Amino acid sequence: MKTYELRQGSGVESLVLTERPVPEPGPRELRVKLRAVSLNYRDWAILQGTYGNFARPLVPVSDGVGEVVAVGAEVRRFKVGDRVIPVYVPDWVRGGPTEESVRRRLGGPLDGLLREYACVHEDAAVAAPAHLTDAEAATLPIAGVTAWHALFTAGRVGPGDTVVVQGTGGVSLFVLQLARLAGARVLVTSRSPVKLERAMALGATAGIHTGSEPEWEARVLALTEGRGADHVVDVVGGEGVARSIEAVRVGGTVTLVGFLDSPTVRFDLARAFRRIVRLQAVSAGSREDLESLGRALAAQGVRPVVDRVFSFDEARAAYEYLASGAQFGKVVITLP
Ligand SMILES: NC(=O)c1ccc[n+]([C@@H]2O[C@H](COP(=O)([O-])OP(=O)(O)OC[C@H]3O[C@@H](n4cnc5c(N)ncnc54)[C@H](OP(=O)(O)O)[C@@H]3O)[C@@H](O)[C@H]2O)c1
C-alpha cells in the first residue's frame, strides 16, 4: 500500500511517499481503508520536529475517516462496509484522562493515518456521522473533540453565555459552531477582516480585528457591558494569555488550548485571583466526547468548515498551506 512516512530532517522534504505491506487486523481490530484525513497544527509541529520528538520513520496525521474493509474474528462493534473515524487518543474511552490513557496518540508516537490502510482496535473507532462528507468527517477527532471538551466536558457553556474565540483555524471554528449550538454569543478575534466576515456569516455575534485592535480584550469588555466574557478559548498562548484573563468575567473560565504564539505564558496572577478566574488546560478528549460531538452535529445538521481539499499526491502542499495560516477552517487530504 501507499503510505507517507516522516523520515529524518525537518520541513516538507522529510515527508516521503513510500510503500508498506497492507496491515493484517488482529482479533479485535478493523482494517480501515482511509478515505480522507485532516491536518492539525500538531501535524505541522511534528513535521518541523518542534513537538513530541517521536521516533521516525513515523506515519503522520492523527485525524481521518475510512471504510471498514476487513474485521478480526472477535470484532462486534463494526462490520465490513461501515464508515468509521479512528479515535485520536485510542485508550481514552470515557471520563477524565489518566497517565496510561493519554500516552498513545495517532500520528505520534503511534503511526497515523496518512496511508491507504490502517488497523485500529474496534474500541478505538466511532461511526462517522451519516450527514457528513468524508472530508468533513475527517475533521472531528482533534479539532472538533478539543472544542467539545473545552466547552461542554471541562466547561459549562450554555444559553446566553458569551464565548470568545481566537483566530479562524480548525479548533476555533468548531468552538464557534458548537457554542452557537448551545445558544451562546460568540466573539471572534482574527488577524484578517475578510475572515471575520466569514465568521459572522457562520454565526459569530461580533468580530474583532486584532490588527487594528491589538488590545482586543477592551472590545470584549465593551461588548459585554463591562462584565467580561463567560469563557475564552485561548489557542494563541504566550503573553496574550494576559489579555484572555482581562477579557473574562469574574468567575469565568479561560481554556488554554494552544500556543500558536508561544508555550511560555505570562500573566498577572493577582488579576486572575481578583477575578477568581478558572484556568483550565484541555488536550483533545475521549471517545465519548467524539461520540457526543457527532450526535450534536447530526441532530442540528451542522457541518464542519473545510477550507481546502488536497489530493494524496499533494500532501506536502497541504502541509505548507496549513503552515501559511491562510486557511479558514480545516485543511483536508483525500485518498485515492
Ligand atoms: N490542546 C489540544 O487538544 C489542542 C487540539 C488542537 C489544537 N491545539 C492547538 O491549538 C492551536 C490551534 O490549532 P488549530 O489546529 O486550530 O490551528 P490552525 O487550524 O492552523 O489555525 C490557526 C489559526 O489561528 C490564527 N493564528 C495563527 N497564528 C497566530 C498567532 N501567532 N497569533 C494569533 N492568531 C494566530 C489564524 O487565524 P486568523 O488568520 O483568523 O487570525 C490561524 O488560521 C495550536 O497551537 C494547536 O497546537 C491544541
Side-chain angles (χ1 to χ4, degrees):
M1 67 165 184
K2 285 185 184 158
T3 181
Y4 278 92
E5 284 179 355
L6 289 182
R7 303 256 178 98
Q8 294 315 311
S10 65
V12 289
E13 288 72 32
S14 63
L15 182 67
V16 176
L17 184 58
T18 185
E19 290 279 335
R20 284 193 186 185
V22 174
E24 280 305 316
R28 294 202 55 203
E29 285 187 334
L30 322 170
R31 186 198 290 144
V32 178
K33 183 175 190 323
L34 275 311
R35 288 183 178 172
V37 301
S38 79
L39 295 184
N40 290 284
Y41 187 78
R42 176 182 197 269
D43 299 313
W44 173 252
I46 290 172
L47 177 121
Q48 292 289 93
T50 57
Y51 180 113
N53 198 21
F54 303 121
R56 299 185 181 200
L58 172 75
V59 179
V61 182
S62 313
D63 290 3
V65 66
E67 181 181 339
V68 177
V69 291
V71 295
E74 295 168 23
V75 165
R76 298 287 174 268
R77 276 168 53 82
F78 297 101
K79 60 182 187 322
V80 169
D82 288 347
R83 199 171 63 130
V84 296
I85 300 174
V87 178
Y88 160 53
V89 193
D91 302 324
W92 189 2
V93 177
R94 63 181 65 81
T98 64
E99 189 73 32
E100 292 72 36
S101 67
V102 300
R103 197 171 295 139
R104 299 185 333 129
R105 297 170 185 240
L106 296 183
L110 301 178
D111 275 334
L113 302 177
L114 194 53
R115 51 176 158 163
E116 286 185 291
Y117 297 94
C119 285
V120 297
H121 194 280
E122 61 171 335
D123 288 339
V126 306
H131 74 295
L132 300 183
T133 64
D134 291 334
E136 291 164 346
T139 68
L140 305 188
I142 289 192
V145 165
T146 300
W148 181 273
H149 186 178
L151 294 176
F152 307 126
T153 309
R156 305 181 192 93
V157 167
D161 283 354
T162 298
V163 175
V164 176
V165 61
Q166 296 175 306
T168 54
V171 176
S172 300
L173 290 190
F174 269 111
V175 170
L176 164 58
Q177 291 179 297
L178 294 172
R180 291 291 294 135
L181 270 190
R185 303 165 73 220
V186 183
L187 314 180
V188 180
T189 70
S190 172
R191 302 166 303 174
S192 156
V194 176
K195 290 183 180 180
L196 283 175
E197 276 177 31
R198 295 180 69 183
M200 297 291 288
L202 260 187
T205 311
I208 305 170
H209 179 222
T210 50
S212 49
E213 277 185 286
E215 293 173 359
W216 56 266
E217 70 282 9
R219 176 58 86 87
V220 172
L221 292 175
L223 288 166
T224 54
E225 288 81 44
R227 179 172 175 265
D230 298 279
H231 198 133
V232 179
V233 179
D234 192 309
V235 297
V236 175
E239 308 245 332
V241 171
R243 299 192 188 283
S244 294
I245 289 171
E246 295 284 331
V248 83
R249 72 164 163 82
V250 172
T253 300
V254 176
T255 299
L256 303 169
V257 164
F259 42 85
L260 288 164
D261 177 30
S262 166
T264 306
V265 167
R266 203 179 160 84
F267 63 87
D268 178 0
L269 194 51
R271 168 88 183 174
F273 279 126
R274 243 186 344 267
R275 307 214 108 198
I276 318 177
V277 172
R278 188 159 72 112
L279 284 162
Q280 60 180 17
V282 159
S283 179
S286 65
R287 186 185 92 193
E288 194 171 71
D289 286 324
L290 178 56
E291 289 166 333
S292 302
L293 166 69
R295 276 195 301 273
L297 297 177
Q300 299 294 326
V302 173
R303 296 173 171 282
V305 180
V306 174
D307 177 278
R308 192 159 158 195
V309 179
F310 291 81
S311 71
F312 192 62
D313 294 338
E314 298 171 320
R316 285 180 170 183
Y319 269 82
E320 284 173 330
Y321 183 64
L322 179 92
S324 76
Q327 73 275 17
F328 179 86
K330 297 296 295 183
V331 178
V332 169
I333 300 170
T334 52
L335 283 97

